[in-house]
Amino acid sequence: MHKVEYPLLDETVYYEKMQNGLQVILIPKPGFAKTYGIITTDFGSIDNHFVPLQSDSEIVVPDGVAHFLEHKLFEGEKHDAFDDFSKLGSSANAFTSFTRTSYLFSATSKVEENIETLLDFVQEPYFTEEGTEKEKGIIAQEIQMYEDNPDWRLFYGLLKNMYPKHPLSIDIAGTVDSIQAITPEILQTCYDTFYHPSNMNLVIIGNFPVEETMVVIRNNQDAKEFAKEEHILRFIPSETISDLTAHDEIEMDVKRPKLIMGVKGLTTQLEGNESDNYYLKGSLLMEMLFGRGSDNFNTLYDNGVLDDSFNYSFTIDRSFNFMALEVDTNEPEQVIKEWKNILLNWKNDSSFTAENFNLLKRAFIGEQLQAFNSLEYISNQYGYLYAAGIEMFNRIERLETLTLEDIAAFAEHYINEQVISTFIVKPKKGSNV
Amino acid sequence: MHKVEYPLLDETVYYEKMQNGLQVILIPKPGFAKTYGIITTDFGSIDNHFVPLQSDSEIVVPDGVAHFLEHKLFEGEKHDAFDDFSKLGSSANAFTSFTRTSYLFSATSKVEENIETLLDFVQEPYFTEEGTEKEKGIIAQEIQMYEDNPDWRLFYGLLKNMYPKHPLSIDIAGTVDSIQAITPEILQTCYDTFYHPSNMNLVIIGNFPVEETMVVIRNNQDAKEFAKEEHILRFIPSETISDLTAHDEIEMDVKRPKLIMGVKGLTTQLEGNESDNYYLKGSLLMEMLFGRGSDNFNTLYDNGVLDDSFNYSFTIDRSFNFMALEVDTNEPEQVIKEWKNILLNWKNDSSFTAENFNLLKRAFIGEQLQAFNSLEYISNQYGYLYAAGIEMFNRIERLETLTLEDIAAFAEHYINEQVISTFIVKPKKGSNV
């Protein structure tokens, strides 16, 4: 076990890598009532093409396996994991993203039992033909529900424009068709490869005794057997700058048109703190150009071009990154023109000053410090970021060192007309507006 | 046929896409005696993983197929293509790179016959068991010859450090083992996919009549049948910033140690003029920091740290780009330190001034203009760059617009310690130095 202190944040973090490769991270928060346990595997929806553990040849698995596996793990041979947590008076949850799957509990007592339950249900899979078939119906409904959601369609419409070959443009849950091909064998192969302890981390945050808890985890892990650790080789289709559709649109039953604009990043191999610094730069750039305090936002808002439905974000993860801007607007063409103009002329933007940058940076640091007070935020983010090689608690220090010149170099490199794409969900013609 | 004029260069280029997808480019040079014909396919050694034409499932082919195919195409059913060109009094050649294969002739007369011969031998493949087996022996010798070459080992040593998963680190010709698995069927599958006319271009440059020549090409192409054009989906292993070995070395029978340093680019999806502009920026940056006129070079040269064996380059192509510096030196560790120092402190470099930049840019433009006077240079480069979507003749205009700020943004983004790698070929211990 080694200990890292973050005096600036008054946080202490304990790390220990188990014999089997599992990375354990304990973050004690003595003043708090709740404890969260979260186990994360570096396996998400984009990992559909890889060389399985103890194999030489690559395989392609049906879209949606990571999410399917997340559902199936809760079903044990004798009991359902949700029930187990219920009996302990705690609650469980899980989520699958493009790149990772996490399982968590939150408890106010019996922390040790909760940790053991979490480790056991995730590490003792139980796949049957019958259970797999039954799950297909449940997940198909989930997929169809999302397909009726205009915001979801808007987002995936943009992803499809920007990433026509990359598995990012496929729904995390897969498609109603793709999941039909999932079998217990496929689940087992993915499980063996990506749920190997060396591809996972466990974070415990809250009110618990550090030494004793580590002993509980060590004992639990030592009693289980796993195959030898191997590097996982993953494949993605090769994309170029021209693999981007500049614009597309669909009609749905919405009252006002929904518009999304994306700026696709071409630098895709970043990881760890490099990747997080890229995130910070992209986020700060967007804040300067489009933030609620920017001249751009205020002008567009005052002119009635934008309203409070406006939102913007910078997303970065394993093998992709992009900026996104979205709004509900009756004048999507005008908004596209305005946004493009702002992006392409960032250099002459009235908000692009050292003074403004320093203000925004301070605000950003403030928000981040605020977030670090939330157990929920930390438990949701820490393991996710850790799996990406990112040290969350030194983000403030990394933020401090950023300069306006860094943001300028980022913008210079990131923004150009060829990587901009837009997607619109339009009201159906003849529908009631 | 459409015509593009470049008044600055006094060049006129004629373009026509054949019905079958072949892009034909005619560059008349009335004053010259020679004519070059060169046909290029967008298929090189890194394309070992793809979905074949008229198939739904991807395949992985043995390393070295593109190069093997280049050798085999010269062998026809009735005669050898080299002989055909000889009889016409012209000469033929071919080369395979990481991303492309080109076949060319140079002739002083009978241009039409030469063009037909070029198109026919490339478009009428002839693969037999016997011919394939025989070729394995020839290519294996070629591979072994290169393996004895210290410069070759140095370069591939660096590539292996920087691209452990990407097929770039595999010899263009494959390995003695990998080529054993090549069969006539594999050659045919690769041929059908990558030698589809829509994946190729033909450039004719020199002294020939434009209209008549285009008619000859059109007639030749119209008489042949090809499958329907399809987009080729290619795959590469997913790499991240940490897939880089910082240093490695081998021993060989050399007198002085050979050192190479690489800076691996993380932006890999650029194409067309964007990619070429990246090339120009990278090249100009290296020229500023390491050029023969730079303070760095002169200081290191005067101190005896570098000698005339010093060389540097910036390479960019489909799915990769990197800087490389190499030298023969008795003090590789010191040189590594000096080079790293120069790279990481580019911002404070005495050569990094607007004045120096403008001087170097003018010199670069001068060199480029000079190169455009050489038929050989144009014939070697035009089709290669065209396949990458790059318009060679507007390079000067693109160069003109580059500023010192562009280079700074490039450097800011490109250079960091994590993407630097070194490789040394050391003299064998106990050998005669």
Side-chain angles (χ1 to χ4, degrees):
Chain A
M1 185 155 64
H2 74 274
K3 178 178 174 180
V4 179
E5 298 193 38
Y6 297 89
L8 179 73
L9 301 172
D10 195 23
E11 299 281 0
T12 304
V13 184
Y14 298 84
Y15 298 91
E16 185 168 308
K17 207 172 184 107
M18 300 289 119
Q19 294 266 337
N20 61 27
L22 178 69
Q23 180 67 54
V24 177
I25 297 149
L26 304 185
I27 309 174
K29 294 282 226 174
F32 287 77
K34 263 195 191 169
T35 296
Y36 289 86
I38 181 160
I39 187 162
T40 300
T41 168
D42 196 9
F43 175 45
S45 64
I46 69 168
D47 300 306
N48 60 359
H49 192 169
F50 58 94
V51 177
L53 194 72
Q54 298 184 312
S55 161
D56 288 329
S57 35
E58 57 193 84
I59 58 167
V60 176
V61 295
D63 294 320
V65 170
H67 172 258
F68 203 102
L69 208 41
E70 175 217 309
H71 274 233
K72 284 314 299 163
L73 280 192
F74 281 97
E75 185 183 88
E77 186 167 0
K78 279 167 256 154
H79 35 78
D80 183 286
F82 283 112
D83 296 342
D84 296 343
F85 285 107
S86 269
K87 281 180 199 148
L88 289 167
S90 56
S91 65
N93 209 344
F95 40 88
T96 306
S97 77
F98 290 119
T99 59
R100 275 172 268 280
T101 315
S102 292
Y103 302 83
L104 76 156
F105 71 80
S106 68
T108 46
S109 63
K110 298 184 191 161
V111 170
E112 295 186 2
E113 291 92 323
N114 275 294
I115 293 174
E116 295 207 278
T117 302
L118 178 68
L119 285 168
D120 291 348
F121 99 80
V122 171
Q123 293 187 328
E124 287 163 9
Y126 176 72
F127 308 125
T128 61
E129 285 288 349
E130 199 193 341
T132 305
E133 286 313 307
K134 196 178 134 208
E135 203 64 43
K136 289 179 186 175
I138 297 167
I139 293 178
Q141 282 192 341
E142 193 179 315
I143 293 171
Q144 284 162 337
M145 192 185 73
Y146 276 106
E147 278 178 6
D148 292 338
N149 179 323
D151 288 311
W152 183 96
R153 293 287 291 274
L154 186 71
F155 182 61
Y156 275 91
L158 177 67
L159 289 182
K160 191 81 199 160
N161 273 0
M162 294 198 296
Y163 298 94
K165 297 177 180 173
H166 192 294
L168 190 63
S169 57
I170 299 156
D171 187 346
I172 288 172
T175 66
V176 172
D177 282 347
S178 76
I179 61 167
Q180 302 313 319
I182 293 174
T183 62
E185 292 69 36
I186 292 173
L187 293 174
Q188 192 67 47
T189 300
C190 290
Y191 182 86
D192 291 341
T193 302
F194 294 105
Y195 283 69
H196 191 281
S198 60
N199 196 45
M200 303 183 79
N201 70 62
L202 171 69
V203 178
I204 313 291
I205 172 166
N207 199 346
F208 60 88
V210 170
E211 295 288 349
E212 292 87 328
T213 303
M214 194 63 92
V215 170
V216 168
I217 298 167
R218 252 180 241 143
N219 290 343
N220 179 286
Q221 290 303 287
D222 288 349
K224 293 172 183 167
E225 278 188 27
F226 293 93
K228 210 175 132 262
E229 179 175 343
E230 275 177 34
H231 176 82
I232 307 166
L233 186 61
R234 313 171 196 231
F235 298 85
I236 49 171
S238 167
E239 272 191 334
T240 60
I241 198 172
S242 63
D243 286 314
L244 180 139
T245 300
H247 181 76
D248 205 358
E249 50 191 58
I250 54 166
E251 286 185 4
M252 281 186 85
D253 195 7
V254 292
K255 292 230 167 83
R256 280 202 298 169
K258 287 179 168 290
L259 165 68
I260 190 165
M261 176 180 282
V263 185
K264 179 183 177 181
L266 301 176
T267 298
T268 54
Q269 300 188 41
L270 294 169
E271 71 175 7
N273 292 340
E274 289 289 327
S275 161
D276 201 41
N277 289 346
Y278 212 66
Y279 166 74
L280 297 174
K281 287 182 223 174
S283 301
L284 278 165
L285 175 63
M286 294 194 81
E287 191 68 32
M288 289 177 86
L289 299 181
F290 298 102
R292 303 274 151 173
S294 68
D295 292 348
N296 292 323
F297 176 78
N298 287 316
T299 308
L300 295 175
Y301 193 88
D302 290 346
N303 295 344
V305 178
L306 294 185
D307 64 16
D308 284 320
S309 66
F310 175 59
N311 237 317
Y312 57 95
S313 60
F314 185 72
T315 301
I316 182 165
D317 210 327
R318 172 155 54 77
S319 80
F320 61 89
N321 61 82
F322 57 87
M323 296 175 168
L325 298 159
E326 49 182 306
V327 73
D328 294 354
T329 170
N330 287 318
E331 305 292 346
E333 281 74 20
Q334 193 197 336
V335 177
I336 290 174
K337 225 178 96 189
E338 303 272 8
W339 282 351
K340 275 198 184 171
N341 193 37
I342 293 170
L343 284 166
L344 297 171
N345 295 299
W346 63 269
K347 231 177 251 187
N348 308 313
D349 200 282
S350 60
S351 302
F352 206 83
T353 65
E355 198 191 349
N356 189 38
F357 173 70
N358 287 322
L359 267 174
L360 291 177
K361 193 167 86 168
R362 300 259 48 99
F364 205 106
I365 291 173
E367 275 169 38
Q368 195 64 60
L369 285 169
Q370 196 66 29
F372 286 161
N373 285 330
S374 153
L375 289 204
E376 197 137 19
Y377 176 84
I378 301 177
S379 69
N380 267 317
Q381 295 285 308
Y382 203 97
Y384 195 93
L385 295 178
Y386 189 87
I390 297 167
E391 296 163 68
M392 191 172 85
F393 283 149
N394 71 17
R395 188 179 260 177
I396 307 278
E397 289 158 58
R398 289 185 280 109
L399 258 167
E400 293 280 7
T401 67
L402 289 183
T403 65
L404 186 68
E405 287 68 42
D406 294 329
I407 309 297
F410 174 90
E412 181 76 46
H413 170 80
Y414 205 91
I415 302 172
N416 83 63
E417 192 141 21
Q418 281 179 273
V419 296
I420 297 178
S421 174
T422 49
F423 192 86
I424 304 177
V425 174
K426 289 195 163 164
K428 280 210 173 95
K429 274 175 200 119
S431 75
N432 252 358
V433 182
Chain B
M1 186 155 62
H2 75 275
K3 180 179 174 180
V4 179
E5 299 193 34
Y6 298 89
L8 179 72
L9 301 172
D10 194 23
E11 299 280 1
T12 304
V13 184
Y14 297 84
Y15 298 91
E16 185 168 308
K17 209 172 184 110
M18 300 289 116
Q19 295 266 337
N20 60 28
L22 178 69
Q23 179 67 54
V24 176
I25 298 149
L26 304 184
I27 311 175
K29 293 282 225 174
F32 287 78
K34 263 194 188 169
T35 296
Y36 289 85
I38 184 159
I39 187 161
T40 300
T41 168
D42 196 10
F43 174 45
S45 64
I46 69 169
D47 300 306
N48 59 359
H49 193 168
F50 59 93
V51 177
L53 194 72
Q54 298 184 311
S55 162
D56 287 331
S57 34
E58 57 193 83
I59 60 168
V60 177
V61 295
D63 293 320
V65 170
H67 172 258
F68 204 102
L69 208 41
E70 177 217 308
H71 274 233
K72 286 313 299 163
L73 280 193
F74 281 97
E75 185 183 271
E77 186 166 359
K78 280 166 255 152
H79 35 77
D80 182 285
F82 283 113
D83 297 340
D84 296 343
F85 285 108
S86 272
K87 281 178 199 151
L88 289 168
S90 55
S91 65
N93 210 344
F95 40 86
T96 306
S97 77
F98 291 120
T99 59
R100 275 173 269 280
T101 315
S102 292
Y103 302 83
L104 76 155
F105 70 80
S106 68
T108 47
S109 64
K110 297 183 190 160
V111 171
E112 294 186 1
E113 290 92 324
N114 276 292
I115 293 174
E116 294 206 279
T117 302
L118 178 69
L119 285 169
D120 291 348
F121 99 80
V122 171
Q123 293 187 328
E124 286 162 10
Y126 176 70
F127 308 125
T128 61
E129 285 288 349
E130 199 193 340
T132 305
E133 285 313 307
K134 198 179 131 205
E135 203 65 42
K136 288 179 185 173
I138 297 166
I139 292 178
Q141 283 193 341
E142 193 180 315
I143 293 171
Q144 283 162 338
M145 192 186 73
Y146 276 105
E147 278 179 7
D148 291 338
N149 180 323
D151 288 311
W152 183 94
R153 293 286 291 276
L154 186 72
F155 182 61
Y156 275 92
L158 176 67
L159 289 183
K160 191 81 199 160
N161 273 359
M162 294 197 297
Y163 298 92
K165 297 177 182 171
H166 192 293
L168 191 62
S169 57
I170 299 155
D171 188 348
I172 288 172
T175 66
V176 172
D177 282 347
S178 76
I179 60 167
Q180 301 313 321
I182 294 174
T183 62
E185 291 69 36
I186 292 172
L187 293 174
Q188 191 69 48
T189 301
C190 290
Y191 182 87
D192 291 342
T193 303
F194 294 106
Y195 282 70
H196 191 281
S198 60
N199 196 45
M200 304 183 80
N201 69 64
L202 170 70
V203 177
I204 313 291
I205 171 165
N207 199 346
F208 61 88
V210 170
E211 294 289 347
E212 291 88 329
T213 303
M214 194 64 95
V215 170
V216 169
I217 298 167
R218 249 181 242 141
N219 289 343
N220 180 285
Q221 291 303 288
D222 287 351
K224 293 172 182 167
E225 278 189 25
F226 293 92
K228 211 174 132 262
E229 180 175 342
E230 274 178 33
H231 176 81
I232 307 166
L233 186 61
R234 312 169 198 233
F235 297 85
I236 48 172
S238 167
E239 273 190 334
T240 59
I241 198 171
S242 62
D243 286 315
L244 180 139
T245 300
H247 181 76
D248 205 356
E249 50 192 56
I250 55 167
E251 286 184 5
M252 280 185 87
D253 194 6
V254 293
K255 293 229 167 84
R256 281 202 296 170
K258 287 178 169 291
L259 165 68
I260 191 165
M261 176 180 282
V263 186
K264 179 183 177 180
L266 302 174
T267 298
T268 55
Q269 300 188 43
L270 294 169
E271 71 174 5
N273 292 339
E274 290 289 326
S275 162
D276 200 42
N277 290 346
Y278 212 65
Y279 166 73
L280 298 174
K281 287 182 224 173
S283 301
L284 279 165
L285 175 63
M286 294 194 82
E287 190 68 32
M288 289 177 85
L289 298 181
F290 297 102
R292 303 273 151 172
S294 69
D295 292 347
N296 293 323
F297 176 78
N298 287 317
T299 307
L300 295 176
Y301 192 88
D302 291 345
N303 295 344
V305 178
L306 294 185
D307 64 15
D308 283 320
S309 66
F310 175 59
N311 238 316
Y312 57 94
S313 60
F314 185 72
T315 301
I316 181 164
D317 209 327
R318 170 154 55 75
S319 80
F320 61 89
N321 61 81
F322 57 87
M323 294 176 170
L325 297 159
E326 49 182 305
V327 75
D328 294 355
T329 170
N330 287 317
E331 305 293 347
E333 281 73 21
Q334 193 197 336
V335 178
I336 289 174
K337 225 178 96 189
E338 302 275 7
W339 283 350
K340 275 200 184 167
N341 192 37
I342 294 169
L343 284 166
L344 297 171
N345 295 298
W346 62 270
K347 232 178 248 183
N348 308 313
D349 199 282
S350 60
S351 302
F352 206 84
T353 65
E355 198 191 349
N356 189 39
F357 173 71
N358 286 322
L359 268 174
L360 292 176
K361 193 167 85 168
R362 301 261 45 101
F364 206 105
I365 291 173
E367 275 168 39
Q368 195 65 61
L369 284 170
Q370 196 66 29
F372 287 161
N373 286 328
S374 153
L375 289 204
E376 197 138 16
Y377 176 83
I378 301 177
S379 69
N380 268 317
Q381 296 284 308
Y382 204 97
Y384 194 94
L385 295 178
Y386 190 87
I390 297 166
E391 296 163 67
M392 192 171 84
F393 284 149
N394 70 19
R395 188 179 260 177
I396 307 278
E397 289 159 58
R398 287 184 282 108
L399 258 166
E400 292 280 8
T401 65
L402 289 184
T403 64
L404 185 69
E405 287 68 44
D406 293 329
I407 310 297
F410 175 88
E412 181 77 46
H413 170 79
Y414 206 89
I415 301 171
N416 84 62
E417 192 141 20
Q418 281 180 275
V419 297
I420 297 178
S421 174
T422 50
F423 191 86
I424 304 177
V425 174
K426 288 195 164 162
K428 278 208 173 99
K429 274 175 202 122
S431 75
N432 251 357
V433 182

